[in-house]
Amino acid sequence: MSTERAGQKRQFGHRARLVPTRAQIRLMDDQAHAARTLWNCLHDWWTMLAKEKRSLAAADAAIRRARKEIDWLGVLPAQAAQAVLKTYFQAWRNCWDGRADAPNFKARPRTVMSVDIPQGRDLNITRVHRRWGMVNIPRIGRVRFRWTKDLPVGKRADTDNRVTGARLVKDALGWHIAFRVQTLETEPGPHTGPEVGIDAGVNLPLALSDGNHHDHGRPPRLSGGEADRDKWLNPREKVKLLGLERRAAQREQHRKRGERASRRLHRTYDQIKQLRARAKRRAVDWQHKTTTTIAKRYGTVVVEDLHITNMVKSAKGTIEEPGRNVAQKSGLNRSISQEAWGRTVTMLTYKMARHGGTLHKVPAPGTSLRCSACGVTTPGSREDQATFACKNPDCGWSGNADWNAARNILHLYRMGHALIPAAGRAVARRPRGVKPATAR
C-alpha cells in the first residue's frame, strides 16, 4: 500500500521591500494615482449610466478609450487597468451577496496607493545574491527588492510552483511588492504534538498552559498604569517621536482655520507615520515568528473566543450617566489594540492547518477568575493583574494569573466545551431577494 500523501495547492502572499530610484518612485506614484482615478471614473460611469447600459464589455471599452485620450491616465499599464475593472466588479458582487458595502469614491488622503500586476510572467524575477533580487515592473523597469524568502523562480518554477502575480503597495516606509505565490505541497499528516491552551493578555502577550510564555522583551506598561503606546520603539526612537509630536502640535496650533497645512507640517506627519509603521512592522514580525514556533511544536491549540470590539469600547458613558475610570480604561483599550489578538489567532489558524494541527475556541467568561487547581471561582482571588491567589479555604493555590487562565482554557476544551467553527461569528449576509440601496 502506498504511503504517499496527495499534494495540495497552496496560495499565499510574500511582501518584500523595494529599493527603487527617484525616477522609478515618481513613475510608481503616477501609476498609483492613475489607478485610483480610474476607479473613481469607473464608479461615476457605473452609477450615472442607465441600468440597461451597464456591462463589463461597455466598461472595458470606456477604459480603453480613456487611456488613449488622456495622457496621464495612459501611464497605467493595460493589464493594471484591467485589474482595476476586475476589482471594481468584484466589489459589486460582494455587495450584492451581502459580504460588504457598496463600493464608493476613493479619496486621496484615505486610500492606500497600490498598483496591481496580474500576470506573473511579466515580473521576470531573478536573484542577484543572498540578500537582494531583481524584479521587472511594467513601464518602470528593473527594480531591486529585499530577498527574504525563496520564491519559485527560474528552474524551480513550473505549472504548480510559480509566482502568479504581484501588487505594488506604498506605506509610510516606502514602496513594497507583494508577490502572489502558488505552490504544490504535500498534505501534512496529523500533528502528534501535545495540547496547549493559550491566554492572550496585556502584561504577558501569550501565556501557555504548560508554563511557557512568549513575550516580546519590552515592558508593556508604565509605572503609573498608563499604557506604553510605543513599546515596539527603542528609547532613542521614543524620544524622537515625542519631539515630532510636539513639533506637529505647535505648528498645528499656529495654523488658521481653513488654511492649508504647510509642507513642513506634512513632512513632520510623514516622519511620525514612518516611526509608527516601523513599530507595526516589528510587532507583525514578532507575531509571525511566535505563531510559527507554536504551530510547529503543538498539535492542538485552544484559545478564547474573544469579542475584541466589545472589549475596547470607551467608558465615557453619557452626560446623565458618566463613566468611571475613563482614563484607565482608555489606556487598557490602547494596550489591547496594540497586542492585535485577532491577528495572532488568524495566523495560528492557517499555520496550524499547514502543519497538520488544529485550533479550537472555547467560551471566554470566567477563565481568568476561576482557579485552575480546584475549579472554584472565589471573589477576591484576582487581586492584581499578574498574580492569582485562590481564596478557597480548601485550596489556597497561587501563581501567575495568565498561566492560570491558560490552564482553564485547556480544561474547557478537554471537557468538551469547544465552540463549533460554523457557529462562530460569521459575516452578516443580506436576506435573499433584498437588494442594496444601489441596485444593479
Side-chain angles (χ1 to χ4, degrees), residues 79 117-128 132-138 141-145 147 151-155 157 162-166 177 179:
Q79 297 173 355
I117 307 175
Q119 296 185 1
R121 64 172 180 266
D122 297 334
L123 298 173
N124 191 18
I125 305 171
T126 57
R127 186 170 186 175
V128 179
W132 297 99
M134 297 289 291
V135 59
N136 181 68
I137 300 177
R142 303 288 290 175
V143 183
R144 188 174 58 163
F145 69 93
W147 191 284
L151 300 173
V153 297
K155 296 182 179 180
R162 58 194 176 93
V163 178
T164 60
I177 183 168
F179 297 104

Side-chain angles (χ1 to χ4, degrees), residues 272-309:
I272 294 175
K273 291 179 181 178
Q274 289 177 1
L275 290 174
R276 296 292 188 194
R278 190 175 303 169
K280 181 180 178 180
R281 183 177 61 181
R282 293 171 182 170
V284 174
D285 179 71
W286 177 85
Q287 285 181 312
H288 272 294
K289 293 179 179 178
T290 304
T291 52
T292 300
T293 302
I294 294 175
K296 289 181 178 180
R297 182 173 181 179
Y298 300 98
T300 302
V301 173
V302 188
V303 297
E304 294 176 297
D305 184 32
L306 298 176
H307 299 257
I308 302 176
T309 304

Side-chain angles (χ1 to χ4, degrees), residues 193-235:
E195 300 174 343
V196 66
I198 299 180
D199 176 66
V202 175
N203 284 331
L204 197 61
L206 296 178
L208 278 59
S209 58
D210 57 0
N212 294 324
H213 302 298
H214 290 274
D215 56 9
H216 37 65
R218 294 174 174 84
R221 300 186 71 84
L222 298 178
S223 58
E226 173 68 16
D228 186 0
R229 301 181 303 158
D230 313 310
K231 57 190 173 185
W232 291 103
L233 300 177
N234 57 43

Side-chain angles (χ1 to χ4, degrees), residues 379-397:
S381 298
R382 187 74 181 267
E383 295 181 351
D384 53 31
Q385 190 70 19
T387 307
F388 184 93
C390 184
K391 300 300 182 181
N392 184 8
D394 299 332
C395 179
W397 180 87

Side-chain angles (χ1 to χ4, degrees), residues 251-268:
R251 291 175 177 174
E252 187 71 34
Q253 185 179 5
H254 292 286
R255 187 164 66 97
K256 299 179 181 179
R257 172 173 288 186
E259 183 181 2
R260 297 184 62 181
S262 62
R263 292 185 178 180
R264 291 183 177 180
L265 182 57
H266 279 298
R267 192 180 301 113
T268 304

